[in-house]
Amino acid sequence: TGMTPKLNICGAMTRRRQYGEVANLLQGVVNVLEHFHKYMGIPQIRQLSERVKAAQSELGTQILADFEEAFPAQGSKRAGGPSNVLRDACLVANVLDPRIKQEIIKKFIRQHLSEYMVLFQENQDVAWLDKIDRRYAWIKRQLVDYEEKYGRMFPEEWCMTERIAVEFCHITRTELAKVMRTRAKEIEVKLLLFAIQRTTNFEGLLAKRFSGCTLTDGPGVKRPEPPLESTNPFLEDEVGDDGSEMEEDLDRPKKHKAPDNPFHGIISKCFEPHLYVYIESQDKNLGEMIDRFVSDFRAQGPPKAGTEDGGAVLPSCADLFVYYKKCMVQCSQLSTGEPMIALTTIFQKYLREYAWKILSGNLPKTSSNSGGLTIKSLLQEKEGSEAAKFNVEELCLICSILSTAEYCLATTQQLEEKLKEKVDKTLVERINLTGEMDTFSNVISNSIQLLVQDLDAACDPALTAMSKMPWQSVEHVGDQSPYVTSVIMHIKQNVPIIRGNLASTRKYFTQFCIKFTNSFIPKFINHLFRCKPISMVGAEQLLLDTHSLKTVLLDLPSIGSQVVRKAPASYTKIVVKGMTRAEMILKVVMAPHEPSVVFVDNYIKLLADGNPETFQKTLDMKGLKRSEQSSMLELFRQRLPTPPSGADGGPSFSFSTPTPEQENSRIRKLEKLIKKRL
C-alpha cells in the first residue's frame, strides 16, 4: 500500500528532473517489488509491477532525450560543462533497463568522436600513414578534455574514459584499413613499419592506462591468451615495456617483459594484410646480405693459419642470425599468423643459401680444374710421388667451415623452437626447419670426410710402397720400415692442426679420428694381403710394423699434444679390433701350414673369419702353390663351424685370442723383440 504514493512521487520528481531523489526512491521500489516476484499472479501485485515498468520506461525516454539535447549526434553544439542533472540521470539509468545505459554511452561517445571522423576522413591528407601520430595525439587531448569536463558526470564503474579510447581504436582500425586498401601501391616498408611502431606504442600506452575491462563489450575483441613461458635461451625478451623502437640494438640487456597487453592488435591488426611488403623487403635484404658475405669472403680470404681465427666460426653466420632475430621480433610484433609462416619460408631459403654459397661453396678443392674433392681422386694411388695434400691454410678453412656449420645447426634448432613459441598455436605444425638442419649436418659430414680423405690420401703412397716391397727377401728384422715412418709423419703433421682448430667442437674431432681409423685400417689390411709372398722374417718385420702403427693409432687423438687425454673408448675399441686382426693375419702367415688340419683350425680360431676368399689371400701371402691351396680350401670349408639355425649369412664366429700354448716359440720370441725395441 505504501508503494503507490512512492510511484506518484517518482512521477512528479521525474517531470521536475529531480533525478537524484528519483534514483533513491525508484531503487527502493524496485528492491521491494523483487520480494513479491513470486506473487505476480495476484492482480494488485501485477498492476503495481506494470506501473513500475511504465515509470521506468518514461524515465528512460526522458533521460535519453536529455542526453540527446545536451550531446546532439550532429553538429558542433557541445555542453558548456558537467551537468548535475545528467549526472543524477546516470544514477537513475543504473536502475533502468540496461539498454538505456548502453544508449546513453553510445550517444555520448559518438558525439565525442564526431570531430575525429571529420578531421581524419579518408580524403584528408592527415589520414595517411605518414601522419598517423596525429590520430593518437588527437585522442590523447580528447581524453584529457573528457576527464576535465565530464569525468564526474558518469559513474566511475561505467569506465567511460576507456570506452571512448576503445571506440576510437575500432574506428581507427576500420578507417586505416579503408585508406590502405585504396592506396596500397603507395605503401613501402619503412612507412609501414613506422605506422605499425607508432600504433603498437599507442596500444602499449592504453595497456598502462586502462585495465581492458570494457573490451568484452566490443565485437570480436578478445584478450589474447598468455603465451607459453619460454625455456629456450635463444632470443630472450625482445622488447622492454618502454615502447622502444623495433630497430633498436636487440643485443643489449632487456627489461623484464611487460604483462600481456589486452589492447595488442586492437588497431594494428589492420596492417596484417599489407605485411607482404615487409616480407618482400626482408627477402631482398637477406639476398643482398648473402651476396655481401660471398664477396667479403673472396676479398678477405679464409681464416689465417696460426692465428686465433684459424678454425673459428665465420663471423658472417653470427651476422645472419642476429638479423634473423631482428626480423622475427619485428614480425611477431606485427602478426603471429600467416606472415610469420611467410617469414619462416624466407629464413629457410637463406639458411640453405648460406650453407651452399658460404660453407659448401668455399670448401677447398684438390686442384683448380677439378670439380671437387672426390673419393675416387683421393683414393687413387700415386705412383712414385706423394698425393696432393691440403696445406695448413686449407685445413684451417675446412675446420672453420665445420665449426660454422655446427654453430648454424645448433642455432637453427633454437630458431625453430622460438618461431614455434611466437606463432599462433594453430600454425605451429607448419614451422619445420629440419631440412635446413640436415643441410648443415651434411656440411659437417662433408668437412670431416675431406679431412679424413686428405690424411688417408697422404698415407696411400706409403701403403703402396709397403705392398711392393720384396718381403720374401727380407733377411733380418730391423727397426720400423720407412713406410711406417711416412704414415706416422703425415699423422703428426695433420692431426695436431685439426685438433687445435676443432678445440671448440671436440665431438667432431673424435668423429674425424674414428672415421680416419675406420678408413685406414681396412685399407692397411688390403695392402697387407698384397704383400706376397712373405718369408718368415718378412712376416716378423710386418708384425713389428703393424704393432708400431697400432701404437700410433691408439695415441692419435692426443698425438703432438702437451696435454695427453685418454682416447674415447669407442675409438680405442675400433683400433684394437682392426689392428689385432692385422696382427692375427700375420701370425697365421708365420705359422707352419703342415699339418693342414692344425693350420686351418688355428686360422679359424685366430681370425674368426669364414670367408674362403680371405683364407685364400692368406695362402697367397704364404706363397703356397694353387695345387696346395685347393686341398687347403676344401679342408677349410669342412672345418668351418656349423652356423646357428636360422642364420642366413656365412659363418660368424666370436673372437678368441689364442692361448700361449697355441703359439709357437718363434712368435713368442718375436713379441718379446717388439716390446724390447718399442
Side-chain angles (χ1 to χ4, degrees):
T1 58
M3 290 180 65
T4 300
K6 289 182 179 180
L7 286 173
N8 294 332
I9 295 174
C10 280
M13 290 180 175
T14 297
R15 288 185 289 275
R16 294 193 297 269
R17 287 179 169 74
Q18 296 174 321
Y19 292 131
E21 291 84 349
V22 170
N24 293 328
L25 194 58
L26 185 60
Q27 183 66 61
V29 170
V30 170
N31 290 341
V32 171
L33 194 60
E34 286 179 353
H35 293 288
F36 292 92
H37 182 71
K38 58 184 177 180
Y39 301 109
M40 287 298 168
I42 301 175
Q44 293 88 340
I45 299 295
R46 184 171 62 254
Q47 292 172 2
L48 187 60
S49 175
E50 291 173 353
R51 284 195 61 190
V52 170
K53 289 180 180 179
Q56 288 177 316
S57 177
E58 180 184 352
L59 268 170
T61 302
Q62 182 171 306
I63 288 172
L64 287 176
D66 291 343
F67 270 94
E68 179 65 33
E69 181 180 356
F71 304 103
Q74 301 295 331
S76 58
K77 181 182 177 182
R78 298 286 296 272
S83 166
N84 291 333
V85 172
L86 294 180
R87 182 192 61 195
D88 292 342
C90 291
L91 298 177
V92 176
N94 279 332
V95 188
L96 303 178
D97 190 313
R99 287 176 294 185
I100 303 299
K101 169 186 169 182
Q102 293 170 5
E103 189 64 24
I104 292 172
I105 292 172
K106 180 180 177 181
K107 286 179 178 294
F108 179 82
I109 292 177
R110 184 171 58 215
Q111 201 282 338
H112 212 68
L113 295 178
S114 59
E115 179 184 312
Y116 176 66
M117 298 295 292
V118 174
L119 292 176
F120 293 89
Q121 58 185 313
E122 185 180 354
N123 60 354
Q124 298 296 317
D125 181 62
V126 74
W128 189 229
L129 301 181
D130 60 342
K131 297 179 177 63
I132 199 168
D133 277 337
R134 299 190 185 183
R135 294 177 180 268
Y136 306 130
W138 184 90
I139 189 60
K140 290 175 187 176
R141 291 194 302 270
Q142 292 303 308
L143 293 179
V144 171
D145 179 70
Y146 165 80
E147 291 285 357
E148 290 177 352
K149 293 183 178 180
Y150 309 107
R152 297 183 180 180
M153 191 172 76
F154 294 100
E156 184 177 350
E157 66 270 17
W158 284 22
C159 302
M160 285 297 292
T161 312
E162 179 177 323
R163 290 181 187 277
I164 294 170
V166 169
E167 182 61 22
F168 165 83
C169 291
H170 292 324
I171 294 172
T172 302
R173 175 176 170 180
T174 301
E175 292 300 309
L176 286 175
K178 188 188 305 181
V179 73
M180 283 191 291
R181 281 195 303 269
T182 304
R183 304 173 63 176
K185 294 182 179 180
E186 300 177 45
I187 301 175
E188 52 90 27
V189 68
K190 287 185 179 179
L191 178 62
L192 182 66
L193 290 179
F194 166 79
I196 293 173
Q197 182 60 51
R198 294 298 188 267
T199 301
T200 53
N201 284 351
F202 176 71
E203 292 171 349
L205 290 176
L206 292 180
K208 292 180 180 180
R209 175 67 176 82
F210 304 115
S211 66
C213 62
T214 68
L215 289 177
T216 53
D217 296 343
V221 180
K222 298 180 180 179
R223 293 183 64 107
E225 295 184 9
L228 296 175
E229 183 179 353
S230 172
T231 58
N232 182 4
F234 181 68
L235 306 179
E236 296 296 344
D237 296 341
E238 295 86 0
V239 178
D241 54 9
D242 57 352
S244 52
E245 294 291 337
M246 278 192 258
E247 288 83 0
E248 69 176 349
D249 180 6
L250 294 167
D251 287 325
R252 73 186 186 188
K254 298 297 185 298
K255 296 181 179 181
H256 292 296
K257 191 172 183 179
D260 295 322
N261 180 0
F263 297 93
H264 177 67
I266 192 170
I267 300 175
S268 57
K269 196 76 174 175
C270 68
F271 296 110
E272 187 163 319
H274 303 277
L275 288 181
Y276 67 87
V277 175
Y278 173 78
I279 301 300
E280 290 172 355
S281 171
Q282 298 313 319
D283 191 357
K284 179 182 177 183
N285 291 345
L286 283 165
E288 293 173 350
M289 181 179 287
I290 295 294
D291 291 341
R292 187 175 72 251
F293 291 160
V294 172
S295 59
D296 288 349
F297 191 94
R298 290 173 180 169
Q300 299 170 7
K304 302 300 180 184
T307 68
E308 61 180 10
D309 292 331
V313 173
L314 297 175
S316 58
C317 73
D319 294 342
L320 179 67
F321 281 104
V322 166
Y323 191 79
Y324 273 14
K325 174 181 181 180
K326 178 180 178 180
C327 292
M328 187 183 69
V329 171
Q330 287 180 336
C331 192
S332 64
Q333 290 174 341
L334 310 180
S335 170
T336 57
E338 287 293 337
M340 283 287 283
I341 301 299
L343 185 67
T344 300
T345 302
I346 299 297
F347 284 176
Q348 291 174 296
K349 174 183 175 181
Y350 290 103
L351 285 173
R352 293 192 297 269
E353 286 210 10
Y354 187 85
W356 296 333
K357 294 183 178 180
I358 311 299
L359 301 183
S360 294
N362 285 309
L363 284 172
K365 310 296 188 295
T366 51
S367 62
S368 59
N369 60 355
S370 67
L373 197 60
T374 64
I375 295 177
K376 182 178 180 181
S377 65
L378 279 175
L379 300 188
Q380 182 179 1
E381 293 182 2
K382 306 294 182 180
E383 296 289 345
S385 65
E386 290 287 316
K389 286 180 81 269
F390 291 137
N391 56 36
V392 176
E393 285 73 20
E394 289 171 326
L395 290 176
C396 289
L397 173 58
I398 296 172
C399 293
S400 182
I401 289 174
L402 191 158
S403 300
T404 304
E406 184 202 27
Y407 173 87
C408 291
L409 173 61
T411 314
T412 299
Q413 183 176 4
Q414 294 173 343
L415 175 64
E416 180 188 78
E417 293 170 1
K418 197 62 179 181
L419 284 167
K420 288 182 176 180
E421 291 178 13
K422 294 287 185 184
V423 78
D424 290 343
K425 291 181 180 179
T426 57
L427 301 176
V428 167
E429 295 301 322
R430 293 172 62 184
I431 302 290
N432 187 343
L433 304 185
T434 302
E436 289 63 44
M437 286 185 266
D438 289 344
T439 299
F440 289 118
S441 294
N442 290 337
V443 174
I444 293 171
S445 298
N446 292 341
S447 300
I448 294 174
Q449 194 62 27
L450 281 178
L451 297 172
V452 170
Q453 291 172 354
D454 180 60
L455 181 54
D456 217 16
C459 296
D460 278 348
L463 297 181
T464 301
M466 176 190 81
S467 64
K468 292 183 177 181
M469 287 180 64
W471 294 105
Q472 192 175 25
S473 305
V474 176
E475 297 180 352
H476 63 276
V477 178
D479 293 332
Q480 65 186 26
S481 302
Y483 76 88
V484 176
T485 304
S486 176
V487 170
I488 294 174
M489 178 192 70
H490 289 302
I491 289 175
K492 288 184 176 180
Q493 285 177 347
N494 280 36
V495 173
I497 296 172
I498 296 170
R499 181 181 58 241
N501 283 284
L502 295 181
S504 61
T505 55
R506 186 79 185 176
K507 65 179 180 179
Y508 292 120
F509 172 69
T510 300
Q511 284 189 23
F512 159 77
C513 295
I514 290 174
K515 287 190 175 184
F516 170 72
T517 305
N518 273 328
S519 175
F520 176 81
I521 293 178
K523 187 184 296 185
F524 172 72
I525 292 176
N526 287 336
H527 281 76
L528 202 60
F529 282 129
R530 299 181 191 178
C531 299
K532 56 187 178 181
I534 304 176
S535 67
M536 183 65 68
V537 178
E540 291 175 358
Q541 179 65 51
L542 275 170
L543 189 59
L544 172 66
D545 294 341
T546 301
H547 194 86
S548 297
L549 285 173
K550 179 180 179 180
T551 303
V552 171
L553 290 175
L554 286 172
D555 188 44
L556 183 141
S558 60
I559 198 166
S561 173
Q562 294 180 348
V563 179
V564 179
R565 293 185 180 182
K566 186 177 180 181
S570 57
Y571 172 79
T572 301
K573 182 178 179 181
I574 292 170
V575 174
V576 170
K577 182 178 180 180
M579 295 307 287
T580 299
R581 175 175 171 79
E583 290 173 338
M584 293 301 106
I585 290 171
L586 291 170
K587 289 182 179 181
V588 167
V589 171
M590 293 168 62
H593 61 277
E594 295 292 346
S596 301
V597 173
V598 174
F599 175 80
V600 170
D601 288 348
N602 195 37
Y603 171 91
I604 293 173
K605 186 170 294 186
L606 288 175
L607 263 67
D609 189 337
N611 190 337
E613 292 183 7
T614 307
F615 181 68
Q616 185 168 358
K617 290 178 182 179
T618 308
L619 300 180
D620 288 338
M621 293 173 71
K622 291 179 68 66
L624 296 183
K625 297 177 181 179
R626 289 297 175 182
S627 58
E628 294 177 294
Q629 291 187 18
S630 297
S631 58
M632 283 281 198
L633 282 168
E634 183 60 32
L635 182 60
F636 172 76
R637 292 187 178 92
Q638 295 174 2
R639 303 292 292 179
L640 284 176
T642 303
S645 60
D648 54 1
S652 177
F653 320 119
S654 61
F655 182 79
S656 175
T657 303
T659 62
E661 291 75 13
Q662 294 172 315
E663 302 277 2
N664 59 46
S665 59
R666 191 162 189 172
I667 293 178
R668 292 200 302 271
K669 184 177 179 182
L670 176 62
E671 288 179 340
K672 291 179 182 179
L673 176 63
I674 292 172
K675 292 178 182 178
K676 181 178 179 182
R677 293 191 177 183
L678 290 176

